[in-house]
Amino acid sequence: TQLLEQSPQFLSIQEGENLTVYCNSSSVFSSLQWYRQEPGEGPVLLVTVVTGGEVKKLKRLTFQFGDARKDSSLHITAAQPGDTGLYLCAGASSGGSYIPTFGRGTSLIVHP
Amino acid sequence: EAQVTQNPRYLITVTGKKLTVTCSQNMNHEYMSWYRQDPGLGLRQIYYSMNVEVTDKGDVPEGYKVSRKEKRNFPLILESPSPNQTSLYFCASSVERRDNEQFFGPGTRLTVL
């Protein structure tokens, strides 16, 4: 099974601060997804990146896929309490596996 | 409303008592899967199904069974639950596996005493 390492595991910041979450692997992925999960709910897709070097923006969130398609980052600008949640990255193997690999998640708390 | 539903949402049971967690989706998705989520371990896939009557093992299939007799339903069966199966379970579906978005159900919190 391929591994996706997420860092940091926990993040507690004040409203208005910026932050970056990292998702790294030694394996190549054909695509990578970021999900956000709120307490008591299932994960919800934020974005899918498929091209090495791709950058996607979703309001205050910026997602980047590494050139070698082994890593990704999520940057949040001016975090708000509504950004609080568990952020998960998930990779689809380039080798044809039907089993997606999920990172362990980054738990973000944004204090007002 | 497009959704994945799971039942029950919460279940407390005892070791060895067979149980079934139901999952249903109304989006006509071919691909469905079951995950368990444990602190520090993230989401791990238990079983998946590419279509009706087609199922296969994920990363952690031991102690679980599934069936896919209809496209919309994908129940998870624990024939003889054990305490190490205490976890938060999610069902998910998508048009295709891999690049397409997976839609997750709300989760089933299972406690096996």
Side-chain angles (χ1 to χ4, degrees):
Chain A
T1 303
Q2 298 169 297
L3 294 176
L4 271 172
E5 299 290 339
Q6 274 190 250
S7 62
Q9 189 175 356
F10 301 100
L11 203 49
S12 179
I13 62 173
Q14 293 296 126
E15 182 175 3
E17 292 184 27
N18 301 332
L19 67 113
T20 302
V21 177
Y22 299 93
C23 181
N24 296 300
S25 176
S26 58
S27 303
V28 176
F29 291 96
S30 62
S31 66
L32 198 138
Q33 297 176 325
W34 285 93
Y35 289 81
R36 183 169 77 197
Q37 183 180 10
E38 299 188 17
E41 298 180 11
V44 175
L45 182 70
L46 294 173
V47 77
T48 300
V49 286
V50 296
T51 305
E54 182 177 4
V55 177
K56 281 191 174 180
K57 292 194 173 185
L58 186 66
K59 297 182 180 178
R60 294 175 293 100
L61 278 60
T62 302
F63 305 85
Q64 186 163 8
F65 201 13
D67 290 340
R69 290 185 288 130
K70 294 182 178 181
D71 54 85
S72 181
S73 64
L74 157 61
H75 182 79
I76 301 179
T77 303
Q80 298 177 0
D83 295 326
T84 293
L86 180 68
Y87 289 81
L88 297 159
C89 63
S93 167
S94 60
S97 170
Y98 285 68
I99 303 174
T101 300
F102 276 84
R104 296 181 180 182
T106 294
S107 181
L108 171 65
I109 298 175
V110 182
H111 301 279
Chain B
E1 179 190 355
Q3 60 182 347
V4 178
T5 57
Q6 294 179 228
N7 281 293
R9 294 290 311 277
Y10 302 91
L11 180 60
I12 301 175
T13 188
V14 296
T15 298
K17 186 176 181 181
K18 180 180 178 179
L19 66 92
T20 298
V21 183
T22 65
C23 172
S24 183
Q25 51 93 5
N26 62 2
M27 296 168 279
N28 201 36
H29 286 167
E30 294 86 7
Y31 181 79
M32 296 185 74
S33 61
W34 275 102
Y35 294 87
R36 60 178 289 173
Q37 187 175 37
D38 302 289
L41 295 177
L43 277 166
R44 293 178 293 168
Q45 193 179 58
I46 302 170
Y47 268 95
Y48 66 93
S49 170
M50 296 297 292
N51 215 322
V52 175
E53 302 292 0
V54 180
T55 64
D56 210 342
K57 297 178 180 179
D59 279 332
V60 288
E62 293 77 20
Y64 304 95
K65 285 175 58 177
V66 293
S67 70
R68 188 92 182 272
K69 293 183 171 56
E70 303 167 281
K71 197 172 188 178
R72 62 184 292 126
N73 297 323
F74 191 44
L76 179 69
I77 303 156
L78 284 71
E79 295 270 3
S80 182
S82 61
N84 64 12
Q85 292 179 298
T86 292
S87 186
L88 180 58
Y89 291 87
F90 288 100
C91 179
S93 74
S94 65
V95 174
E96 295 174 6
R97 49 82 178 161
R98 297 179 63 175
D99 294 356
N100 280 7
E101 174 181 7
Q102 289 197 72
F103 292 83
F104 284 83
T108 295
R109 184 164 293 281
L110 172 67
T111 301
V112 183
L113 302 174

